[in-house]
């Protein structure tokens, strides 16, 4: 079986920069290179670009320009959001509520804060990866500074009921801030800060064809917040450091494209997703779709293949020109099974056999069919070598 | 007086990306766009580029590749260094020693830590902006976790005796870590972590013609360190977040150029600097050179002009096509007089009348002469309008 061209199916890990974003960025590297904080003419071009990026991103999220903080990525946004609210509220609260399927940028930040004396409740999810508004509200107390629940899970694609969660939290405790890591949602789901009712929201540019090293933190006006990066007065004193002007310009352009194309791209991706799911389920025994079957990101497919290692599947897929991942890219260097799969009840040995396919705009129905054709041979060969496959169950 | 072309004299604020750095970066935006943490072929190109950048930067600093952490800029590097050492040593110490002329990325980070219960000694400097090794060592106690003294001041260009300071600190307290903000030094001074004897060192890419949004933290092996950005396992668990591959590649290329060209570029810049200093001192009364006259960055010129506002001078210079700054770009949005000028004893009203010219590779002797010709008219016109100039002194 020969491959025609590489098939990239790891858009949840990262995506190629959109050519229009790159084109918009280029002048800010070498020509309009001024420091936006400076007063002279050449710097004002950079300042103008920053202001326009704030305006554009704000309008795409239903926010105010002053509520947009440009960061170095989704991880910084999550860290800044959670630590920022926690430290700002230390005088009245010490408690954070989150789920046990969040990205490590959220979970490890919560672990960090536990060492600083904060208390964290990690809510369990059901077998589809869902947490309920009632569950979250029940965990909130008068000492709860922050609730952080992701918009959609990066590994299994399950979409959480964030708007309902935010409403339930605010009803019980109006001063509790609500944060959502929406990194996987932008371009796939509607992301409007008022419809979601959140106070903080994290985005990562390279997940929606913007540049790596750039991200966004939405911070609702009036939300108590202690900046995590101290220094100059950039981003209205909320994120010190010379602004990554080119990265910010590219972020705004890529985001506008992702958001405006969503109505067309999301149904198209969902059809590809369903074709791949049906194809895999129709051609292999001992497979399990991870995540909610319908309340799911349009571009996410995640399967466990019994009796085989995910890494072995990936290497075989790579040999055929197919790029996929097991779990998230951020944890792929680790030998631990996915915390998300364990949280939805997948046994440890099966969790090691998971593969995530995350689809993007250049993928075609033929790509899906190629994967469906390639997989059975790989899985059968690996199972034939697997001691686990021959044990009585 | 007509200008021939814009003259950019604010390289300490930021510099245009080197075309060779941009060229090296471009493939990593759209072609070799993989996430370095992924396992498949396309991602391994990005991983290889990251590894090579670690190697190159390490060898330029006299460090090991594993001691290099790529960050989002000089401000993040300073924050990560200072908070990272402080939090890691909380069990045995609570004290930090620094100077009162550090960049705000250091000073405001220290202020942040004071609110977390740490104690900070801000050492005064002399009229030239110098702190002595004896002064620093005298401030160090058995509770001192960290000493942070900049390699060269960003406003007045004074070069601090960091190697001697590090030696004096280590003699008195071997477990105290020594950090230097070397942001203004790279490309202007030799920067070797072993000759300096420091445990941590911060760099900012856009100051040496690398991209904005990228920086470096050198962290000596064995230095106790608590990462400030939690999440994935990137940068050997010391800085979570998908790596800004293009930015890192551009950083390494620009750094190599800056370091290898230094032996030629530094004397050339120093000659231009001295030409500008002599020209200004020879053509105007009531001027004061700020910073040490010889122990000074080769590209820094900083003057106070009595009885006039720095901002007014800058606007007039801009009108003639000359881009300069008052104080640092990071504080230019503020109306406060420079903390550095106040620290070296400049009176508040004179501190408001300061202008920094920071030179770069494209500047020529003719540029210096043009500024020297332009300034007297501007200063005399502004002084004629100034109420201060007519008061008895």
């Amino acid at each position: 079986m020969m491959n025609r061209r590489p098939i990239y199916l790891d858009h949840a890990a990262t995506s190629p920069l959109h050519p229009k974003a790159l084109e918009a960025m280029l002048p800010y590297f070498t020509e309009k290179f001024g420091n936006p904080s400076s007063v002279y003419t050449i710097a004002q071009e950079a300042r103008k670009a920053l202001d326009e990026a704030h305006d554009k991103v704000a309008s795409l999220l239903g926010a105010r320009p002053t509520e947009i903080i440009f960061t170095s990525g989704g991880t910084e946004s999550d860290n800044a959001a959670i630590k920022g609210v926690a430290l700002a509220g230390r005088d009245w609260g010490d408690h954070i509520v989150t789920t046990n399927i969040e990205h490590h940028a959220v979970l490890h930040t919560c672990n960090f804060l536990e060492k600083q004396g904060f208390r964290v409740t990690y809510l369990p999810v059901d077998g589809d990866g869902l947490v309920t508004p009632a569950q979250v509200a029940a965990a909130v107390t008068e000492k709860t500074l922050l609730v952080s629940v992701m918009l959609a899970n990066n590994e299994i694609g399950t979409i959480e009921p964030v708007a309902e969660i935010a409403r339930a939290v605010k009803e019980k405790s109006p001063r509790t801030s609500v944060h959502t890591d929406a990194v996987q949602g932008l371009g796939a789901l509607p992301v409007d800060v008022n419809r979601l009712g959140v106070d903080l929201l994290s985005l990562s540019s390279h997940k929606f064809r913007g540049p790596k090293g750039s991200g966004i933190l939405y911070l609702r006006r009036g939300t108590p917040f202690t900046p995590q990066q101290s220094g100059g007065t950039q981003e209205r004193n909320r994120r010190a450091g010379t602004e990554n002007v080119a990265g910010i310009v590219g972020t705004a352009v890529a985001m506008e494209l992702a958001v405006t194309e969503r109505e067309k791209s999301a149904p198209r991706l969902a059809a590809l997703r369903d074709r791949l799911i049906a194809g895999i389920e129709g051609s292999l025994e001992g497979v399990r779709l991870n995540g909610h079957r319908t309340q799911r990101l349009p571009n996410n497919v995640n399967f466990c293949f019994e009796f085989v290692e995910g890494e072995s599947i990936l290497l075989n897929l790579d040999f055929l020109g197919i790029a996929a991942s097991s779990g998230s890219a951020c944890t792929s260097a680790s030998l631990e099974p996915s915390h998300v799969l364990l949280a939805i009840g997948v046994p440890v040995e099966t969790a090691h056999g998971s593969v995530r396919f995350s689809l993007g705009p250049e993928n075609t129905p033929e790509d899906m069919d190629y994967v469906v054709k390639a997989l059975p041979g790989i899985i059968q060969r690996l199972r034939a070598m697997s001691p686990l496959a021959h044990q009585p169950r």
Side-chain angles (χ1 to χ4, degrees), chain A:
Chain A
M1 186 166 174
M2 291 289 294
N3 189 17
R4 313 136 307 158
R5 59 174 175 81
I7 300 177
Y8 186 71
L9 292 171
D10 203 14
H11 292 83
T14 192
S15 57
L17 183 63
H18 198 294
K20 285 187 184 169
L22 178 58
E23 192 189 333
M25 290 165 70
L26 285 175
Y28 296 93
F29 287 122
T30 49
E31 299 156 44
K32 305 178 180 179
F33 67 86
N35 189 318
S37 300
S38 302
V39 296
Y40 38 77
T41 310
I42 193 173
Q44 292 314 303
E45 297 172 335
R47 163 57 50 198
K48 185 162 169 278
L50 273 194
D51 290 345
E52 287 172 0
H54 277 97
D55 291 347
K56 188 178 283 184
V57 167
S59 83
L60 293 168
L61 293 175
R64 299 183 182 88
T66 53
E67 293 174 325
I68 302 301
I69 302 171
F70 288 107
T71 70
S72 71
T75 293
E76 183 189 328
S77 296
D78 283 341
N79 274 259
I82 297 169
K83 295 177 186 166
V85 169
L87 291 183
R90 215 164 197 170
D91 55 321
W92 69 267
D94 66 346
H95 183 229
I96 295 167
V97 175
T98 187
T99 79
N100 61 5
I101 63 161
E102 299 296 311
H103 190 278
H104 280 159
V106 168
L107 291 177
H108 290 170
T109 299
C110 288
N111 301 156
F112 176 93
L113 287 174
E114 285 183 288
K115 289 183 194 141
Q116 313 292 316
F118 291 90
R119 294 176 303 119
V120 182
T121 301
Y122 302 92
L123 293 170
V125 295
D126 70 13
D128 290 327
L130 280 172
V131 67
T132 66
Q135 243 184 308
V136 180
V140 168
T141 74
E142 59 183 5
K143 295 280 190 187
T144 304
L145 294 160
L146 180 74
V147 166
S148 179
V149 176
M150 66 204 320
L151 187 56
N153 185 270
N154 53 309
E155 295 190 31
I156 58 173
T158 299
I159 300 166
E160 304 296 340
V162 170
E164 294 74 17
I165 289 170
R167 210 176 307 130
V169 169
K170 293 288 181 183
E171 260 173 37
K172 183 155 180 199
S173 171
R175 76 197 298 199
T176 298
S177 295
V178 178
H179 168 249
T180 190
D181 175 334
V183 162
Q184 295 292 335
L186 200 281
L189 306 172
V191 179
D192 180 297
V193 294
N194 294 316
R195 285 195 198 159
L196 290 171
V198 295
D199 303 301
L200 306 101
L201 181 143
S202 301
L203 292 172
S204 167
S205 307
H206 74 100
K207 308 290 191 187
F208 54 76
R209 306 202 64 188
K212 291 180 181 63
S214 288
I216 294 166
L217 174 61
Y218 161 77
L219 176 67
R220 187 178 293 278
R221 187 161 65 170
T223 307
F225 180 77
T226 300
Q228 292 308 295
Q229 198 157 297
S230 308
T233 58
Q234 292 89 351
E235 296 293 81
R236 296 176 173 250
N237 278 311
R238 294 168 308 187
R239 202 271 182 184
T242 300
E243 300 89 342
N244 178 0
V245 181
I248 289 168
V249 166
T251 292
V253 170
M255 185 166 165
E256 184 166 43
L257 289 165
V259 171
T260 54
E261 287 168 4
R262 190 185 63 80
E263 280 192 29
K264 280 192 185 169
S265 63
R268 197 186 147 274
L269 288 170
L272 292 179
R273 171 196 71 187
D274 295 340
R275 185 182 186 114
L276 182 54
I277 291 174
I280 291 174
E281 290 184 331
S283 63
L284 273 162
E285 300 285 313
V287 299
R288 175 202 150 118
L289 178 69
N290 297 310
H292 199 284
R293 197 166 281 270
T294 55
Q295 200 163 318
R296 180 181 199 95
L297 284 174
N299 71 333
N300 176 287
V301 175
N302 187 313
F303 273 100
C304 282
F305 299 90
E306 283 188 343
F307 313 126
V308 284
E309 289 277 316
E311 294 294 305
S312 309
I313 305 172
L314 295 187
L315 293 174
N316 279 276
L317 287 171
D318 187 33
F319 189 72
L320 296 177
I322 301 166
S325 78
S326 66
S328 77
C330 298
T331 54
S332 63
S334 137
L335 292 174
E336 298 287 306
S338 152
H339 68 286
V340 176
L341 296 181
L342 297 182
I344 60 171
V346 176
V348 175
E349 60 277 15
T350 310
H352 275 298
S354 74
V355 175
R356 177 187 68 183
F357 303 97
S358 48
L359 286 42
E362 82 284 8
N363 293 137
T364 63
E366 292 70 37
D367 290 350
M368 303 302 107
D369 297 346
Y370 181 76
V371 174
V372 170
K373 268 193 193 164
L375 264 176
I378 294 171
I379 301 297
Q380 283 153 21
R381 200 162 59 244
L382 291 171
R383 282 183 181 162
M385 304 188 302
S386 165
L388 290 169
H390 306 297
Q391 282 170 10
R393 296 183 70 187

